[in-house]
């Protein structure tokens, strides 16, 4: 059989790819180390890309509302970026202004109740005085090597102190590294947002230069679908968080519970984590209310469970599921699977990922039905 140059090239690529894959399997620790090293270098740019993607959702809406005349052509993009940053900063500042006074009031309440708590502890200690003779008799029956015990305590304190110093250094290095990564990523995201059309055009050029045209068309189609899906997911998640926070503010106000606005904002912020994020706000809210009235804290937990059932089974699957085009049952499945595999990050990532896979598989099934000439009456509902 005669092979042309293109067929030889394809077979060589397959052989080289198989050899490389086999070598990678034989040296998994080295491959994992190389991947960690590469991710460490690229982490500022990956973070910048993620920040740019998130900011692009409100920035695109703001830019669409700005004038489109010739005089505004060079100003629309920078102005939209500035307004987006101002809006995000304003939301964060508003949340801090709402949360901080409530936390301060709770701390003052706890501080005010400390004298009474100390008094109760003293009374309980005084009540134990009648048991002291029995305790002394019981302690005399035990033989304790106080010298060996003190030496072990000193050694333990020395080891703990050394570990604390070393962990403190590691913590400071991690904080500095995290801050620098965030700052570099933020600056990089600004460049991406200001030149996103140019970068998109260059990316398409790379695809068509490296891959066959049908492959490049399919890859760009998947990327466009992913972009629409992830953007819709972010919008739906924010809408769902606002709805849930508003529900708590209204319900707690009607039930005359304290810290209604504070708890509503906390739950709205934590609800950005799909399905389970609101439970974090529930714990904080219950602790704050328990300082004022423990029985109201119990009522708040009951109220939270009721609203969480409504939100988790009715609001969230329909709001977020409809925004990404994913049926409600698959939204719950995606959250469960993502949480099992990757924790909170998996919950955030798997909903739009499953939506993309669902759309691709749905298109594949429809194409196959057309190719096989399967009549619609065989698979449609009667």
């Amino acid at each position: 059989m005669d092979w042309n140059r293109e067929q030889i090239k394809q077979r060589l690529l397959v052989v080289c790819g198989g050899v490389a894959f086999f070598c990678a399997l034989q040296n998994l620790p080295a491959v994992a180390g190389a991947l960690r090293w590469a991710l460490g270098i690229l982490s500022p740019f990956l973070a910048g890309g993620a920040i740019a993607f998130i900011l692009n959702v409100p920035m695109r809406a703001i830019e669409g509302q700005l004038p489109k005349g010739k005089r505004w052509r060079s100003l629309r993009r920078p102005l939209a970026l500035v307004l987006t940053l101002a809006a995000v900063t304003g939301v964060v500042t508003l949340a801090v202004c709402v949360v901080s006074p409530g936390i301060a009031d709770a701390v003052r309440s706890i501080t005010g109740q400390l004298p009474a708590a100390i008094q109760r502890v003293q009374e309980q200690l005084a009540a134990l005085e009648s048991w002291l003779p029995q305790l002394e008799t019981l302690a005399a029956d035990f033989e304790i090597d106080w010298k060996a015990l003190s030496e072990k305590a000193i050694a333990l304190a020395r080891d703990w102190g050394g570990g604390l110093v070393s962990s403190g250094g590691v913590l400071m290095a991690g904080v500095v590294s995290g801050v620098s990564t965030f700052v570099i990523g933020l600056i990089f995201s600004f460049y991406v947002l200001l030149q996103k059309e140019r970068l998109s055009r260059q990316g398409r050029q790379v695809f068509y230069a490296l891959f066959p045209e049908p492959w490049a068309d399919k890859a760009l189609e998947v990327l466009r679908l992913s972009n629409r899906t992830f953007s819709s997911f972010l919008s739906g998640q924010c809408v769902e968080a606002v709805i849930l926070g508003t529900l708590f503010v209204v319900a707690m106000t009607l039930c005359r519970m304290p810290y209604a606005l504070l708890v509503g904002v906390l739950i709205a912020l934590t609800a950005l984590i799909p399905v389970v994020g609101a439970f974090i706000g529930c714990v904080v809210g219950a602790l704050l209310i328990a300082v004022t009235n423990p029985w109201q804290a119990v009522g708040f937990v009951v109220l939270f469970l009721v609203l969480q059932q409504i939100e988790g089974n009715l609001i969230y699957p329909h709001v977020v599921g409809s925004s990404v085009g994913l049926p409600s049952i698959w939204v719950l499945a995606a959250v469960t699977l993502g949480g099992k595999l990757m924790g909170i990050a998996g919950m955030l990532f798997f909903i739009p990922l499953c939506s993309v896979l669902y759309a691709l598989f749905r298109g594949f099934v429809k194409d196959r039905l057309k190719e096989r000439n399967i009549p619609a009456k065989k698979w449609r509902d009667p």
Side-chain angles (χ1 to χ4, degrees):
M1 181 175 61
D2 295 334
W3 288 351
N4 57 31
R5 181 176 298 179
E6 189 65 27
Q7 290 175 331
I8 295 174
K9 186 187 297 185
Q10 291 178 357
R11 284 160 176 78
L12 285 176
L13 287 175
V14 172
V15 172
C16 293
V19 172
F21 182 70
F22 177 77
C23 293
L25 290 179
Q26 296 297 317
N27 300 276
L28 283 179
V31 173
L35 288 176
R36 284 194 297 268
W37 174 78
L39 287 176
I41 293 177
L42 297 175
S43 58
F45 305 104
L46 295 175
I51 295 172
F53 183 84
I54 294 172
L55 292 179
N56 185 53
V57 176
M59 178 179 168
R60 187 168 51 203
I62 292 174
E63 189 175 0
Q65 301 300 319
L66 296 178
K68 297 179 174 61
K70 292 183 178 180
R71 292 183 300 177
W72 290 86
R73 183 175 300 173
S74 60
L75 296 176
R76 290 177 74 246
R77 181 60 52 77
L79 182 59
L81 177 59
V82 171
L83 292 176
T84 301
L85 294 176
V88 173
T89 304
V91 170
V92 174
T93 303
L94 179 62
V96 171
C97 291
V98 171
V99 171
S100 298
I103 298 295
D105 291 342
V107 171
R108 283 195 293 268
S109 178
I110 294 173
T111 304
Q113 294 181 14
L114 279 179
I118 294 174
Q119 180 66 29
R120 287 195 298 269
V121 171
Q122 291 176 346
E123 293 174 356
Q124 292 175 357
L125 291 176
L128 290 176
E129 290 183 355
S130 59
W131 292 86
L132 287 180
Q134 291 89 335
L135 293 176
E136 291 178 355
T137 305
L138 183 63
D141 296 335
F142 292 96
E143 294 183 359
I144 301 175
D145 189 351
W146 294 104
K147 183 178 180 181
L149 185 61
S150 61
E151 291 177 353
K152 290 181 179 179
I154 293 173
L156 181 62
R158 188 185 303 113
D159 295 339
W160 180 80
L164 181 62
V165 172
S166 60
S167 61
V170 173
L171 179 62
M172 288 299 298
V175 170
V176 172
S177 176
V179 171
S180 62
T181 298
F182 175 77
V183 172
I184 295 173
L186 185 62
I187 296 173
F188 179 73
S189 70
F190 294 162
Y191 283 100
V192 172
L193 290 171
L194 292 174
Q195 304 179 22
K196 56 184 179 180
E197 285 84 5
R198 181 181 179 184
L199 294 173
S200 177
R201 183 176 64 253
Q202 292 174 345
R204 292 194 297 270
Q205 291 174 347
V206 170
F207 270 97
Y208 284 110
L210 295 180
F211 303 105
E213 186 174 351
W215 292 13
D217 290 338
K218 189 63 178 178
L220 291 175
E221 180 185 349
V222 173
L223 288 176
R224 293 188 189 99
L225 175 62
S226 302
N227 178 55
R228 292 194 303 268
T229 302
F230 277 75
S231 299
S232 300
F233 169 72
L234 289 176
S235 302
Q237 193 69 32
C238 292
V239 170
E240 187 270 339
V242 172
I243 292 174
L244 184 61
T246 305
L247 282 177
F248 270 93
V249 172
V250 173
M252 292 179 66
T253 302
L254 293 176
C255 296
R256 297 183 180 181
M257 293 183 178
Y259 306 115
L261 183 60
L262 169 63
V263 174
V265 172
L266 282 174
I267 290 180
L269 292 176
T270 56
L272 295 175
I273 303 172
V275 178
V276 299
F279 286 95
I280 302 173
C282 171
V283 173
V284 178
L287 291 176
L288 291 175
I289 297 174
V291 172
T292 304
N293 190 331
W295 288 110
Q296 280 190 329
V298 175
F300 169 75
V301 172
V302 174
L303 175 66
F304 172 83
L305 293 176
V306 173
L307 294 180
Q308 182 65 19
Q309 289 297 316
I310 297 174
E311 184 266 348
N313 294 288
L314 297 177
I315 300 175
Y316 185 85
H318 289 285
V319 172
V320 179
S322 61
S323 66
V324 298
L326 192 64
S328 304
I329 185 173
W330 298 119
V331 172
L332 297 177
V335 170
T336 304
L337 181 61
K340 291 290 185 180
L341 294 178
M342 299 172 57
I344 294 176
M347 295 178 184
L348 290 170
F349 183 72
F350 263 65
I351 292 177
L353 176 63
C354 288
S355 178
V356 172
L357 296 177
Y358 177 81
L360 293 175
F361 186 70
R362 181 178 57 188
F364 168 76
V365 170
K366 289 184 178 180
D367 292 339
R368 290 288 294 172
L369 290 175
K370 290 181 181 179
E371 290 176 3
R372 301 183 66 181
N373 295 322
I374 304 297
K377 64 180 181 181
K378 289 194 174 184
W379 51 265
R380 281 182 179 165
D381 292 333

